[in-house]
Amino acid sequence: MSAEDHSNTAVAEHFGLTLPSVGYWRKRYLSQGIDGYYDISCLRRPWSYEDDSVATLLNKVPNYKSRQAKD
C-alpha cells in the first residue's frame, strides 16, 4: 500500500497496526532496504510471514527504494 502512495494512517487502519509501527517499518525500509526486515532482534514477536512471501511482495514494487515516504 505504501508503494501505491497510501498514507501511513491508511496502511495502519487497513492492517490493524499502530501508526508508529507503520512509520517505523517504512523508515527502516527506506534506510536499510530489504535487509532491514530481516533483523529479527528488533521484533517483539516471532515473524509471522514466510521469507519467500515477503520477498515476492517486495519484488512487485520496482524501484521502491528510490521513492520518498509521504508520512
Side-chain angles (χ1 to χ4, degrees):
M1 290 180 68
S2 296
E4 295 171 351
D5 294 327
H6 292 276
S7 68
N8 284 359
T9 302
V11 174
E13 289 175 0
H14 180 80
F15 290 103
L17 301 170
T18 65
L19 189 56
S21 291
V22 174
Y24 172 82
W25 287 105
R26 182 180 270 187
K27 287 177 187 175
R28 189 173 174 97
Y29 179 78
L30 289 173
S31 69
Q32 298 178 28
I34 189 68
D35 292 336
Y37 287 120
Y38 291 101
D39 181 7
I40 301 301
S41 66
C42 71
L43 297 174
R44 294 186 179 151
R45 62 181 178 188
W47 190 256
S48 59
Y49 299 97
E50 296 294 323
D51 290 347
D52 291 340
S53 298
V54 173
T56 298
L57 176 63
L58 292 173
N59 284 330
K60 291 181 181 180
V61 185
N63 302 318
Y64 180 71
K65 200 173 191 181
S66 66
R67 300 179 66 169
Q68 295 279 332
K70 292 196 176 218
D71 290 338

